[in-house]
Amino acid sequence: MLDVKRFDEAAALLAGVVAAEPENGRAWCLMARAHLGADRYHEAIEAASRAVALDPADEWPHRLASNALVHLGNYSAAMRAAYEACRLAPGYWQTHVCVAQSALAAHRLDAATDAAARARALAPNEPDVQFLSGKVSLARGELAEAREYQERALALDPAHSGAMNELGRIRLRRHDAAGAIRHFISAARATPDERIYSRNIDVVILRTVSRTIYVFTLVALILIWIPATLHINSFPFVVGVGILGAVTVACFAWMIMRLPPEARLMVRRTLRAPRVAGALAVGGVVVAVGIVALAPAADVTGVLPVAVIVTVVARLAAFAALRSAARKN
């Protein structure tokens, strides 16, 4: 049941086992694993602690406790539990991966790098080891190395959804939104129950929409501001604003057409659902352009910073509202 992610049913069965055999340390470890899968982290720590009390020399409950502590944000305790597991079983690659995960969560990149290297030395052909090494490299900003590790993980396990997701994050760091979405979609297909992958797609879409509105508005403001301050014919600049709008729409449409069909459906869903937030973004654009366009020529220089602030605030507010709406959906 644990392998097929039926965690609640597994926990119910294991409750009967530990009631009948309270000295069964492995059963308590399995209980901790079931609670971890169901996001019941405090219960997972309690079950792992019972297992530690029954068999202090067993490294597994320490790893389980470390995992739960990471999710609870207690990174120092997570690292202590991980290092204890590593002390008890230094020849297990899993204990070094556990140390690297907790160190990565605590932003201890040197410790994470060292632990990942030890795990690779013990098990270079384990996809999870390559995956974790890639995560550490990405945190260090080493994008090419991170990509190599994730590609090795996928070569060892073509269905490794975590590696697919990390390749998407690497693409995003390289400002390739369409490529990032493709990887996130692959991860979501491989593991439909993992909600973070579909949320990643939403965030990329929303970030792209938000940046498009932001850049368009700032450039439009400059095109309106130039003729007003230099007292020259504004007609060419008005034409420029129109061309800028057409180019912006065309570029966004081109990016959408590069996406897989199911991603296009997600874009339409994301853009249509939160109408209020979209209106807020457009309203900010209209207000900012109106401030500059309608202000007297003598005052344009002074009102431009106000228009820029309105643009930035509208962009941030719209992005926050869109992201919130996307998560609810």
Side-chain angles (χ1 to χ4, degrees), residues 27-100:
W28 282 109
C29 284
L30 290 171
M31 178 68 85
R33 187 182 166 195
H35 286 313
L36 271 174
D39 299 337
R40 294 188 291 267
Y41 303 120
H42 291 288
E43 292 86 341
I45 292 171
E46 290 177 6
S49 298
R50 293 290 296 269
V52 169
L54 291 168
D55 186 0
D58 188 3
E59 53 80 31
W60 191 18
H62 294 285
R63 284 195 289 122
L64 292 167
S66 177
N67 195 337
L69 288 163
V70 165
H71 282 92
L72 291 172
N74 191 346
Y75 304 129
S76 58
M79 287 190 68
R80 287 196 297 272
Y83 274 119
E84 179 62 15
C86 200
R87 184 188 70 80
L88 292 170
Y92 284 13
W93 62 267
Q94 294 93 333
T95 62
H96 297 284
V97 165
C98 186
V99 171

Side-chain angles (χ1 to χ4, degrees), residues 154-175:
L154 282 175
L156 293 166
D157 179 8
H160 199 297
S161 58
M164 298 173 195
N165 184 70
E166 288 301 304
L167 286 172
R169 293 181 62 211
I170 294 166
R171 290 272 192 173
L172 205 54
R173 288 281 192 94
R174 296 184 183 278
H175 308 290

Side-chain angles (χ1 to χ4, degrees), residues 216-227:
F216 168 78
T217 307
L218 287 181
V219 176
L221 290 173
I222 293 171
L223 289 176
I224 295 172
W225 174 72
I226 290 173

Side-chain angles (χ1 to χ4, degrees), residues 303-316:
V303 301
L304 183 65
V306 177
V308 172
I309 292 171
V310 170
T311 302
V312 173
V313 171
R315 180 212 174 192
L316 295 175

Side-chain angles (χ1 to χ4, degrees), residues 95-119:
T95 62
H96 297 284
V97 165
C98 186
V99 171
Q101 287 173 329
S102 59
L104 195 57
H107 303 289
R108 296 275 303 278
L109 296 185
D110 289 342
T113 301
D114 181 65
R118 292 175 184 273

